[in-house]
Amino acid sequence: MKYILNKNFRLRGWTDHLACLETLPQRFVTDLTTREYGLLSRCDGRTDISDQKYAEAIKKFLEKGVIRETDGSEPDHDQSYHFYENRRIRNVDICITGCCDFRCRHCFNAADNIGSRGSQPSTEQLLDLIAKLDECGVAGVTFSGGEPLLHKGFLTLSDELAKRNMKFKRLVTNLYHMTPEIADTLIAEGHRPLISTSFDGIGKHEWLRKMPGSEQRALEGIAMMKQKGFSVRITCCAWKDSLSALRESILKLQELHVDEFRLVCIEPSLRWRENAGDQDISIREWLDFLCGLIDWWYDNKIKIYLDVWSFWHGYPGSKYVNIVPDGHRDHDHEDKIPACSDAYQTPYIDSDGRLLLCNAVSGYTKAMGLDWGNVFTDDIHALLREGPFIDQCKCTIGEMKRQNAECRECEWASHCSFGCRAEALAYNGEINSPDRRMCVFFKEGYYQRFLDIASKHGLICD
């Protein structure tokens, strides 16, 4: 019998995932067994395939609509196996500009307290970068900044993603410069990225952002993007004086039908150290506050996805929640769990081309001269295949615990997932050191308090 791949499927491989099936237009990727790949690589409409040898795989892929009996046609050339000479990294966050007209007191990108960093690659550089990422098998892209809408080539870049069938996954913007026309152009290009924007509390937002009128513009922008059918994620930064406004602000965001609420206690970025004054929140104050806020959230049945950064994830209406520091479900495999799995899933490219774990380490790594490679000067395939960046991404929880005697001997070692690398860098000056927030969380009873809150509301920790 002869079979052929249906048009929305193609074969791909990377150095760490040799045989994969990619599904269009979503560009989902699934790993194939040797036998499954053996079948699909023969589904060219011309090759006779043993129904006996591949019976199970044929049944599976016929039912899933991956293959069909040949009708005399042949697959497109692009459906044939293509090998990318790098590791399988499917999404990348590109800071397309370091320029910003806000002067946020806590900016992660800034390595000093003077304005914005201001580095901005040209449209041509970024078009070339997108092409190279496409050649690496990257399927999804985030545009961030600075403020990405200040880049004159923004819509040219988004159009390039559409032409290459790359998904515009997320736009990180303060919404100050968003217009209905820009939103409509994105829709016309086939894009509806998740809009990730900041709102730091009613009556508080402008103190942090240092831009007059930005609070009202943020609320108006959120409403507009929701009306146009975009999903909106709010990142809310917290400092001492903002805590009192959070509950009122959350209710307002629910009225606007916001999809996700991400709450972050400001970490001591280089700029924040110069601006915080007495506004820093200690980890114990923060965890005490969170216990009350999370309890209130579920009492009030807030219909927004809750992401308390580093501590709690919960979907509205779901009985399952994730207490983030607790990695005990996987402790038997901790030697294989990356200490920063987000970085491997979505590396961050700074506006000067530096390849980084995330935007939160950009200012510190710049000041420290920490170099993991630069996409504008180095071979991208090599950067995403081997070397210091990949070594950092591969560093596991188990490996870091073995390097730290205190952690090895801790009674909570089989639970603790070692925390955040950005927090460790900010507080300790060493990226692979323990995130001490986790020590407080487990050793001082907060873990049990979180479990009690989950139990009170009938939630299951997943």
Side-chain angles (χ1 to χ4, degrees), residues 159-178:
D159 185 53
E160 183 69 10
L161 295 180
K163 289 176 179 177
R164 292 180 174 276
N165 194 29
M166 297 172 76
K167 187 174 180 61
F168 192 169
K169 294 200 69 171
R170 189 164 56 102
L171 173 60
V172 183
T173 171
N174 57 38
L175 286 179
Y176 197 84
H177 299 279
M178 179 59 75

mmCIF file of all heavy atoms in Angstrom, residues 159-178:
data_model
loop_
_atom_site.group_PDB
_atom_site.id
_atom_site.type_symbol
_atom_site.label_atom_id
_atom_site.label_comp_id
_atom_site.label_asym_id
_atom_site.label_seq_id
_atom_site.Cartn_x
_atom_site.Cartn_y
_atom_site.Cartn_z
ATOM 1 N N ASP A 159 4.947 41.653 9.960
ATOM 2 C CA ASP A 159 4.584 41.134 8.643
ATOM 3 C C ASP A 159 5.557 40.042 8.199
ATOM 4 O O ASP A 159 5.161 39.049 7.578
ATOM 5 C CB ASP A 159 4.569 42.278 7.627
ATOM 6 C CG ASP A 159 4.081 41.831 6.255
ATOM 7 O OD1 ASP A 159 2.985 41.240 6.180
ATOM 8 O OD2 ASP A 159 4.808 42.059 5.254
ATOM 9 N N GLU A 160 6.838 40.221 8.523
ATOM 10 C CA GLU A 160 7.831 39.202 8.175
ATOM 11 C C GLU A 160 7.534 37.882 8.883
ATOM 12 O O GLU A 160 7.699 36.802 8.298
ATOM 13 C CB GLU A 160 9.231 39.700 8.542
ATOM 14 C CG GLU A 160 10.353 38.755 8.151
ATOM 15 C CD GLU A 160 10.572 38.647 6.656
ATOM 16 O OE1 GLU A 160 9.976 39.443 5.901
ATOM 17 O OE2 GLU A 160 11.342 37.765 6.232
ATOM 18 N N LEU A 161 7.096 37.965 10.129
ATOM 19 C CA LEU A 161 6.705 36.741 10.840
ATOM 20 C C LEU A 161 5.582 36.032 10.098
ATOM 21 O O LEU A 161 5.603 34.807 9.931
ATOM 22 C CB LEU A 161 6.266 37.063 12.268
ATOM 23 C CG LEU A 161 7.312 37.619 13.227
ATOM 24 C CD1 LEU A 161 6.676 37.862 14.599
ATOM 25 C CD2 LEU A 161 8.503 36.695 13.360
ATOM 26 N N ALA A 162 4.593 36.805 9.657
ATOM 27 C CA ALA A 162 3.461 36.218 8.939
ATOM 28 C C ALA A 162 3.919 35.561 7.640
ATOM 29 O O ALA A 162 3.481 34.448 7.296
ATOM 30 C CB ALA A 162 2.416 37.294 8.655
ATOM 31 N N LYS A 163 4.799 36.216 6.900
ATOM 32 C CA LYS A 163 5.284 35.665 5.634
ATOM 33 C C LYS A 163 6.023 34.353 5.846
ATOM 34 O O LYS A 163 6.023 33.485 4.962
ATOM 35 C CB LYS A 163 6.200 36.677 4.953
ATOM 36 C CG LYS A 163 5.472 37.907 4.403
ATOM 37 C CD LYS A 163 6.453 38.912 3.823
ATOM 38 C CE LYS A 163 5.730 40.133 3.263
ATOM 39 N NZ LYS A 163 6.677 41.163 2.760
ATOM 40 N N ARG A 164 6.663 34.215 6.979
ATOM 41 C CA ARG A 164 7.433 33.008 7.266
ATOM 42 C C ARG A 164 6.631 31.978 8.060
ATOM 43 O O ARG A 164 7.184 30.967 8.508
ATOM 44 C CB ARG A 164 8.704 33.375 8.036
ATOM 45 C CG ARG A 164 9.699 34.164 7.204
ATOM 46 C CD ARG A 164 10.948 34.510 7.990
ATOM 47 N NE ARG A 164 11.937 35.145 7.124
ATOM 48 C CZ ARG A 164 12.799 34.497 6.352
ATOM 49 N NH1 ARG A 164 12.798 33.164 6.350
ATOM 50 N NH2 ARG A 164 13.646 35.133 5.593
ATOM 51 N N ASN A 165 5.351 32.240 8.247
ATOM 52 C CA ASN A 165 4.503 31.334 9.019
ATOM 53 C C ASN A 165 5.054 31.114 10.425
ATOM 54 O O ASN A 165 4.964 30.031 10.997
ATOM 55 C CB ASN A 165 4.329 29.990 8.308
ATOM 56 C CG ASN A 165 3.196 29.162 8.891
ATOM 57 O OD1 ASN A 165 2.227 29.705 9.408
ATOM 58 N ND2 ASN A 165 3.325 27.850 8.819
ATOM 59 N N MET A 166 5.635 32.187 10.980
ATOM 60 C CA MET A 166 6.092 32.152 12.367
ATOM 61 C C MET A 166 5.035 32.835 13.224
ATOM 62 O O MET A 166 4.508 33.897 12.849
ATOM 63 C CB MET A 166 7.452 32.849 12.501
ATOM 64 C CG MET A 166 8.556 32.163 11.727
ATOM 65 S SD MET A 166 10.117 33.099 11.671
ATOM 66 C CE MET A 166 10.753 32.791 13.323
ATOM 67 N N LYS A 167 4.744 32.254 14.347
ATOM 68 C CA LYS A 167 3.655 32.752 15.187
ATOM 69 C C LYS A 167 4.136 33.923 16.037
ATOM 70 O O LYS A 167 5.153 33.837 16.724
ATOM 71 C CB LYS A 167 3.137 31.633 16.093
ATOM 72 C CG LYS A 167 1.897 31.998 16.884
ATOM 73 C CD LYS A 167 1.389 30.798 17.634
ATOM 74 C CE LYS A 167 0.136 31.122 18.451
ATOM 75 N NZ LYS A 167 -0.987 31.560 17.633
ATOM 76 N N PHE A 168 3.409 35.022 15.972
ATOM 77 C CA PHE A 168 3.649 36.178 16.854
ATOM 78 C C PHE A 168 2.945 35.852 18.165
ATOM 79 O O PHE A 168 1.755 36.060 18.327
ATOM 80 C CB PHE A 168 3.081 37.432 16.211
ATOM 81 C CG PHE A 168 3.488 38.733 16.868
ATOM 82 C CD1 PHE A 168 3.222 39.941 16.253
ATOM 83 C CD2 PHE A 168 4.146 38.769 18.093
ATOM 84 C CE1 PHE A 168 3.585 41.144 16.827
ATOM 85 C CE2 PHE A 168 4.516 39.953 18.679
ATOM 86 C CZ PHE A 168 4.226 41.151 18.044
ATOM 87 N N LYS A 169 3.697 35.299 19.114
ATOM 88 C CA LYS A 169 3.082 34.737 20.307
ATOM 89 C C LYS A 169 2.696 35.770 21.344
ATOM 90 O O LYS A 169 1.658 35.655 21.987
ATOM 91 C CB LYS A 169 4.035 33.720 20.946
ATOM 92 C CG LYS A 169 4.278 32.482 20.102
ATOM 93 C CD LYS A 169 4.794 31.348 20.930
ATOM 94 C CE LYS A 169 3.724 30.836 21.881
ATOM 95 N NZ LYS A 169 4.120 29.590 22.563
ATOM 96 N N ARG A 170 3.561 36.769 21.517
ATOM 97 C CA ARG A 170 3.323 37.695 22.621
ATOM 98 C C ARG A 170 3.922 39.053 22.296
ATOM 99 O O ARG A 170 4.985 39.149 21.687
ATOM 100 C CB ARG A 170 3.952 37.125 23.902
ATOM 101 C CG ARG A 170 3.622 37.846 25.182
ATOM 102 C CD ARG A 170 3.964 36.964 26.391
ATOM 103 N NE ARG A 170 5.336 36.541 26.391
ATOM 104 C CZ ARG A 170 6.297 37.078 27.151
ATOM 105 N NH1 ARG A 170 6.004 38.072 27.991
ATOM 106 N NH2 ARG A 170 7.530 36.633 27.110
ATOM 107 N N LEU A 171 3.232 40.099 22.678
ATOM 108 C CA LEU A 171 3.728 41.470 22.548
ATOM 109 C C LEU A 171 3.786 42.079 23.942
ATOM 110 O O LEU A 171 2.763 42.203 24.622
ATOM 111 C CB LEU A 171 2.803 42.302 21.657
ATOM 112 C CG LEU A 171 3.109 43.797 21.570
ATOM 113 C CD1 LEU A 171 4.507 44.045 21.008
ATOM 114 C CD2 LEU A 171 2.054 44.519 20.721
ATOM 115 N N VAL A 172 5.001 42.425 24.371
ATOM 116 C CA VAL A 172 5.202 43.026 25.686
ATOM 117 C C VAL A 172 5.274 44.531 25.485
ATOM 118 O O VAL A 172 6.242 45.056 24.949
ATOM 119 C CB VAL A 172 6.492 42.504 26.350
ATOM 120 C CG1 VAL A 172 6.633 43.088 27.752
ATOM 121 C CG2 VAL A 172 6.479 40.985 26.406
ATOM 122 N N THR A 173 4.238 45.247 25.925
ATOM 123 C CA THR A 173 4.103 46.664 25.620
ATOM 124 C C THR A 173 3.430 47.401 26.772
ATOM 125 O O THR A 173 2.609 46.830 27.491
ATOM 126 C CB THR A 173 3.264 46.862 24.339
ATOM 127 O OG1 THR A 173 2.960 48.253 24.160
ATOM 128 C CG2 THR A 173 1.952 46.088 24.398
ATOM 129 N N ASN A 174 3.767 48.694 26.920
ATOM 130 C CA ASN A 174 3.058 49.480 27.929
ATOM 131 C C ASN A 174 1.722 50.009 27.418
ATOM 132 O O ASN A 174 0.991 50.676 28.154
ATOM 133 C CB ASN A 174 3.934 50.625 28.442
ATOM 134 C CG ASN A 174 4.410 51.555 27.332
ATOM 135 O OD1 ASN A 174 3.681 51.849 26.384
ATOM 136 N ND2 ASN A 174 5.653 52.034 27.439
ATOM 137 N N LEU A 175 1.411 49.735 26.134
ATOM 138 C CA LEU A 175 0.149 50.115 25.474
ATOM 139 C C LEU A 175 -0.001 51.618 25.269
ATOM 140 O O LEU A 175 -1.005 52.064 24.691
ATOM 141 C CB LEU A 175 -1.075 49.572 26.229
ATOM 142 C CG LEU A 175 -1.345 48.071 26.095
ATOM 143 C CD1 LEU A 175 -2.570 47.687 26.917
ATOM 144 C CD2 LEU A 175 -1.561 47.684 24.634
ATOM 145 N N TYR A 176 0.966 52.411 25.702
ATOM 146 C CA TYR A 176 0.840 53.863 25.584
ATOM 147 C C TYR A 176 0.743 54.285 24.125
ATOM 148 O O TYR A 176 0.061 55.260 23.790
ATOM 149 C CB TYR A 176 2.037 54.535 26.258
ATOM 150 C CG TYR A 176 1.845 55.998 26.570
ATOM 151 C CD1 TYR A 176 1.199 56.395 27.742
ATOM 152 C CD2 TYR A 176 2.306 56.985 25.708
ATOM 153 C CE1 TYR A 176 1.017 57.727 28.047
ATOM 154 C CE2 TYR A 176 2.131 58.334 26.004
ATOM 155 C CZ TYR A 176 1.493 58.696 27.173
ATOM 156 O OH TYR A 176 1.312 60.029 27.471
ATOM 157 N N HIS A 177 1.403 53.550 23.244
ATOM 158 C CA HIS A 177 1.435 53.911 21.828
ATOM 159 C C HIS A 177 0.581 52.981 20.959
ATOM 160 O O HIS A 177 0.626 53.085 19.731
ATOM 161 C CB HIS A 177 2.885 53.898 21.325
ATOM 162 C CG HIS A 177 3.763 54.870 22.049
ATOM 163 N ND1 HIS A 177 3.808 56.216 21.744
ATOM 164 C CD2 HIS A 177 4.612 54.690 23.094
ATOM 165 C CE1 HIS A 177 4.656 56.822 22.554
ATOM 166 N NE2 HIS A 177 5.155 55.922 23.389
ATOM 167 N N MET A 178 -0.172 52.100 21.578
ATOM 168 C CA MET A 178 -1.047 51.216 20.815
ATOM 169 C C MET A 178 -2.242 52.001 20.281
ATOM 170 O O MET A 178 -2.827 52.827 20.992
ATOM 171 C CB MET A 178 -1.523 50.057 21.680
ATOM 172 C CG MET A 178 -2.474 49.090 20.969
ATOM 173 S SD MET A 178 -1.776 48.316 19.492
ATOM 174 C CE MET A 178 -0.658 47.127 20.238
#
